[in-house]
């Protein structure tokens, strides 16, 4: 897509030929200049994944990745308060996950990325004075391959889209009771999650068509939720929905 494509898309939305648009990488930031307004989450993260035309004919950019992540964790009943979070990858959905995590009262966030400069760029973005006004702790960055102490690890890279993909990280010394979470939703069981399974057993939470696989060490259960409400579904970014994985 180029600037003319974005302009034509906006025209179609304003003419109500299109009701709304789902935006994915690499356009979540590039589309922002063409919008009339951003919601607070989209503004802070500078990331838009949904575009809608309001009743007053304003084209508004939303970030439903934030609510999607928060709801996924909520339905696992995992308490993130005071937890140390380790995120693999710094592009795509990572800014939204960071924003959500701080709303969930985590104690610290550490980033790693194969290209360290990209992780440092996101680190600087969130460690700016504007972000620190919210009382957030500084984000840390470590070299790729280094595995710090954590309670929850999130794979926010594209590694896993292909069934033979593997993250070249050593989890042999991470200890027990760790929560593995993978943003890759197809295949359902990535090699990252299989590493989680290696350390424990599988817990699954099914919400009708939305399945959030969880790998929780020392815990095994199968929980089925009723068909989710339309309000809950609207709060999620279904195309990027979340293969939670936990261990």
């Amino acid at each position: 897509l180029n600037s003319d494509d974005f302009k034509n898309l906006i025209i179609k939305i304003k003419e109500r030929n299109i009701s709304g648009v789902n935006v994915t990488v690499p356009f979540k930031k590039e589309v922002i200049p063409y919008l009339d307004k951003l919601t607070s989450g989209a503004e802070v993260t500078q990331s838009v994944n949904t575009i809608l035309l309001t009743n007053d004919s304003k084209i508004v950019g939303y970030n439903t990745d934030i609510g999607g992540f928060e709801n996924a964790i909520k339905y696992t009943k995992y308490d993130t308060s005071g937890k140390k979070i380790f995120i693999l990858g710094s592009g795509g959905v990572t800014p939204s996950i960071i924003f959500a995590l701080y709303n969930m009262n985590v104690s610290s966030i550490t980033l790693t990325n194969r290209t360290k400069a990209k992780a440092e760029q996101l680190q600087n973005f969130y460690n700016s004075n504007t972000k620190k006004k919210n009382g957030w702790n500084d984000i840390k960055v470590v070299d790729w391959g280094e595995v710090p102490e954590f309670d929850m690890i999130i794979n926010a890279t594209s590694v896993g889209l292909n069934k033979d993909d593997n993250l070249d990280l050593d989890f042999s010394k991470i200890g027990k009771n760790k929560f593995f979470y993978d943003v890759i939703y197809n295949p359902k069981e990535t090699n990252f999650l299989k590493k989680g399974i290696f350390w424990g057993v599988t817990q699954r939470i099914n919400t009708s068509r939305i399945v959030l696989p969880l790998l929780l060490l020392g815990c095994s259960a199968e929980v089925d939720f009723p068909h989710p409400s339309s309000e809950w579904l609207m709060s999620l970014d279904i195309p990027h929905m979340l293969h939670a994985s936990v261990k």
Side-chain angles (χ1 to χ4, degrees):
L1 292 176
N2 55 39
S3 60
D4 288 336
D5 293 322
F6 281 125
K7 290 176 184 177
N8 292 332
L9 178 63
I10 297 303
I11 290 172
K12 289 181 179 180
I13 297 173
K14 286 187 174 181
E15 292 177 346
R16 301 186 184 276
N17 293 321
I18 299 176
S19 299
V21 176
N22 180 255
V23 183
T24 187
V25 290
F27 304 113
K28 291 185 176 186
K29 185 173 182 178
E30 283 77 354
V31 75
I32 290 176
Y34 301 92
L35 308 179
D36 297 321
K37 183 180 177 181
L38 299 178
T39 59
S40 58
E43 178 69 38
V44 171
T45 60
Q46 286 294 286
S47 180
V48 167
N49 74 335
T50 304
I51 301 172
L52 293 176
L53 183 67
T54 62
N55 292 332
D56 58 353
S57 297
K58 297 292 185 182
I59 297 181
V60 180
Y62 298 80
N63 185 337
T64 62
D65 286 331
I66 299 168
F69 180 84
E70 290 176 343
N71 276 301
I73 300 302
K74 175 183 176 182
Y75 280 92
T76 70
K77 301 186 184 303
Y78 181 77
D79 184 7
T80 58
S81 299
K83 297 296 193 297
K84 299 175 181 178
I85 313 299
F86 182 35
I87 303 178
L88 312 176
S90 58
V93 75
T94 303
S96 306
I97 290 176
I98 291 173
F99 184 84
L101 285 168
Y102 275 123
N103 287 337
M104 297 159 71
N105 300 313
V106 303
S107 68
S108 66
I109 295 176
T110 302
L111 293 177
T112 190
N113 196 72
R114 282 192 172 88
T115 304
K116 190 175 182 180
K118 291 184 178 180
E120 291 172 336
Q121 183 178 12
L122 187 57
Q123 175 192 37
N124 293 333
F125 174 74
Y126 270 108
N127 287 354
S128 68
N129 291 330
T130 301
K131 308 302 176 296
K132 290 175 73 173
K133 287 179 181 178
N134 296 320
W136 295 353
N137 294 325
D138 283 346
I139 293 173
K140 301 175 184 177
V141 172
V142 298
D143 292 330
W144 185 263
E146 182 179 345
V147 179
E149 181 182 352
F150 67 86
D151 299 299
M152 174 192 287
I153 183 170
I154 301 169
N155 176 32
T157 74
S158 60
V159 177
L161 286 172
N162 298 315
K163 65 178 183 179
D164 295 327
D165 285 350
N166 274 296
L167 287 161
D168 51 341
L169 298 172
D170 181 9
F171 296 126
S172 62
K173 299 179 181 179
I174 62 174
K176 302 290 185 180
N177 300 316
K178 306 301 182 182
F179 188 125
F180 276 57
Y181 186 104
D182 200 329
V183 302
I184 301 294
Y185 58 90
N186 186 24
K188 291 182 178 180
E189 188 176 272
T190 62
N191 287 324
F192 173 74
L193 302 190
K194 289 177 181 177
K195 286 186 177 181
I197 294 172
F198 179 80
W199 297 104
V201 293
T202 301
Q203 171 185 345
R204 287 188 183 276
I205 295 182
N206 300 316
T207 58
S208 186
R209 292 179 304 165
I210 303 170
V211 181
L212 309 178
L214 304 156
L215 322 171
L216 187 57
L217 261 184
C219 177
S220 179
E222 188 80 22
V223 182
D224 293 307
F225 286 101
H227 189 84
S229 67
S230 59
E231 291 80 10
W232 187 70
L233 287 172
M234 285 295 291
S235 74
L236 304 179
D237 178 21
I238 301 301
H240 295 87
M241 201 53 226
L242 302 167
H243 244 81
S245 234
V246 204
K247 180 155 164 252

